[in-house]
Amino acid sequence: MGGGGTGTGQPEPEGDDKGGVRTALGGLTTRGRSFLAAGIAAAICAYVLGQSDLLRVGLLLAALPLVCATVLYRTRYRVAGSRRLSPSRVPAAGEARVHLRMDNVSRLPTGLLMLQDRVPYVLGPRPRFVLDRVEPGGRREVSYRVRSDLRGRYPLGPLQLRLTDPFGMCELTRSFSTYDTLTVIPRVEALPPVRFGGEAKGYGDGRQRSLALAGEDDVIPRGYRYGDDLRRVHWRSTARYGELMVRREEQPQRARCTVLLDTRGIGFAGAGPDSAFEWAVSGAASVLVHMLERGFSVRLLTDTGNSVPGEGADGFAGSSQETADAAGLMMDTLAVIDHSDGTGLSRAYDVLRGGNEGLLVAFIGDLDEEQAGVVAKMRRRGGGAVVFLLDPDTWIREPTDVPGPGNGPAERLRLLREAGWTAASVPRGAALGELWRQMDRERMGAAALSGGEARS
């Protein structure tokens, strides 16, 4: 259920009509069972002793809980329940408020109502509320908060309504059929606006760009229309088609960015909100939102070669109207993304080598020598390439003070930098924004150094 929407429904009794008597008797409280047992005992003693007055008392004691159970079971409170999430999509460690409303749509007042909403244990304890008598046409509203440090999609509901009689003899539970979903997305960190190699300002001056919101028909001439400027006539197409053809107006161009997220289970160690994999997911989400806000066409790619369902060949285009929807769809995908069973990055490489433009930002886990070579080949000439390496050694245990010769992480960083990547190792607890600035400074320093060597 989206934020601001409501889910409504009528309570349904637990059990069918055939088991109505059993259900009603099963709802007897301790007080009701005690009255029933005392009435039966009094009736038996009255029969043995021949005391008619005691028999009447026993029948009254036994009949009271039975009548309460029958009336309560047959009662159909016309109560409508609704739930509203505010908001329905929250970042990890953020709070959402759930608003519950009960409306009595019948002409009779209700008795004491007890509400209980079912929530997953990661969101906290089950909320319970006691509502006083609701007048005909009246309503009652309550709310509670939920919070999760783990991203995911969590069902809320169905809402349970517990009915009691005025004497406390019987208690029955009925459930609503509707439920809603709370989406906990990765944490997004605001990133500074830096310039990496091959990057353009969305509609800027990057060397490799794609047409924004334009199809194949927008790059060929079209038929002449009244009022078109004759200076736009395309004479070659006119001669070919036998009619006057004009060139289309130049379309605005948009820079591209691909975010590669490594989800291999063997590439990451540990679990929980402070694990390396969760840092990578949060980093990918931050870069995606940052690039969308800057007007890039953004694509999310995983090691399995899959991307976000529904995105085009060039990814999602960032614009004032579509940025929020595109970011929401990507965040929903990242909210439920999990480790893959793959062992390599060759599928992602196959997807990337089909194009040759735009900025590539990668979040990679542990790499062996073979997979490091695959990542090195992903570097494309037409755009910048930035990689964040999350070495498991720095996330599970304290790293060594002085790396020895042939150190694995250092060797992999050297290999990727020689291939043209702007690469950095991510230590435990690092801030993405600071690494983002640091890698931009390293890129500018490397560019200045290479320029100086070329002039010498």
Side-chain angles (χ1 to χ4, degrees), residues 242-394:
E243 60 177 317
L244 204 59
M245 306 291 291
V246 296
R247 294 187 301 271
R248 292 178 181 269
E249 294 289 350
E250 183 179 356
Q251 299 292 325
Q253 294 182 324
R254 189 188 305 276
R256 298 179 181 178
C257 175
T258 299
V259 178
L260 172 61
L261 176 61
D262 182 12
T263 63
R264 298 171 301 135
I266 62 174
F268 299 91
D274 296 328
S275 64
F277 182 67
E278 293 302 322
W279 193 98
V281 174
S282 178
S286 301
V287 174
L288 287 170
V289 173
H290 176 71
M291 291 302 179
L292 276 174
E293 291 176 348
R294 299 193 65 195
F296 279 69
S297 291
V298 179
R299 177 177 61 170
L300 173 63
L301 183 67
T302 65
D303 58 289
T304 60
N306 297 326
S307 56
V308 178
E311 70 178 9
D314 297 335
F316 290 101
S319 64
S320 58
Q321 295 83 10
E322 301 174 355
T323 298
D325 294 338
L329 186 56
M330 288 186 174
M331 293 302 104
D332 289 344
T333 300
L334 290 175
V336 296
I337 200 168
D338 202 354
H339 290 296
S340 67
D341 297 330
T343 58
L345 299 163
S346 57
R347 292 183 180 178
Y349 170 69
D350 293 338
V351 175
L352 290 172
R353 69 178 180 179
N356 190 31
E357 65 276 334
L359 175 66
L360 175 61
V361 182
F363 294 85
I364 307 296
D366 189 24
L367 294 174
D368 55 22
E369 184 177 354
E370 178 183 358
Q371 296 307 314
V374 174
V375 175
K377 292 188 296 183
M378 292 181 183
R379 171 68 170 90
R380 297 168 291 181
R381 296 181 180 179
V386 181
V387 60
F388 298 89
L389 285 179
L390 290 93
D391 182 28
D393 290 341
T394 63

Side-chain angles (χ1 to χ4, degrees), residues 145-228:
R145 293 180 296 177
V146 290
R147 179 182 182 275
S148 175
D149 293 330
L150 300 176
R151 55 186 176 81
R153 292 173 62 88
Y154 302 101
L156 300 179
L159 183 65
Q160 290 183 330
L161 179 65
R162 186 171 298 176
L163 310 175
T164 60
D165 65 279
F167 301 102
M169 298 290 180
C170 187
E171 188 176 273
L172 296 180
T173 301
R174 296 177 180 176
S175 298
F176 290 83
S177 59
T178 59
Y179 68 94
D180 301 287
T181 302
L182 175 68
T183 303
V184 180
I185 62 176
R187 287 188 291 264
V188 175
E189 181 178 348
L191 301 180
V194 300
R195 293 287 301 277
F196 289 111
E199 179 183 344
K201 295 181 180 179
Y203 291 102
D205 54 356
R207 292 177 297 173
Q208 302 292 339
R209 292 165 296 191
S210 63
L211 292 178
L213 306 178
E216 293 296 329
D217 292 339
D218 290 322
V219 297
I220 63 175
R222 60 169 175 82
Y224 176 81
R225 300 171 184 171
Y226 178 78
D228 285 339

Side-chain angles (χ1 to χ4, degrees), residues 23 27 32 141 180 193 223 234 243 271 284 317 334 352 355 391 398 408 421 424 440 445:
T23 302
E141 294 185 3
D180 301 287
H234 194 270
E243 60 177 317
L334 290 175
L352 290 172
D391 182 28
E398 293 295 332
W421 285 85
D440 180 57

Side-chain angles (χ1 to χ4, degrees), residues 410-431:
E411 181 66 21
R412 290 190 289 271
L413 282 175
R414 184 190 63 80
L415 174 64
L416 294 179
R417 287 168 178 167
E418 290 179 352
W421 285 85
T422 303
S425 179
V426 180
R428 183 180 183 89

Side-chain angles (χ1 to χ4, degrees), residues 23-88:
T23 302
L25 294 179
L28 291 176
T29 62
T30 302
R31 179 184 298 177
R33 295 176 187 274
S34 300
F35 268 67
L36 181 60
I40 294 176
I44 294 175
C45 292
Y47 177 78
V48 173
L49 301 176
Q51 297 290 330
S52 59
D53 294 336
L54 183 59
L55 179 60
R56 286 191 291 269
V57 173
L59 293 178
L60 177 61
L61 292 176
L64 182 59
L66 296 178
V67 171
C68 290
T70 303
V71 172
L72 187 63
Y73 182 79
R74 293 299 181 184
T75 299
R76 293 292 188 265
Y77 287 147
R78 296 182 59 193
V79 179
S82 63
R83 181 189 298 104
R84 179 171 57 88
L85 305 182
S86 177
S88 61

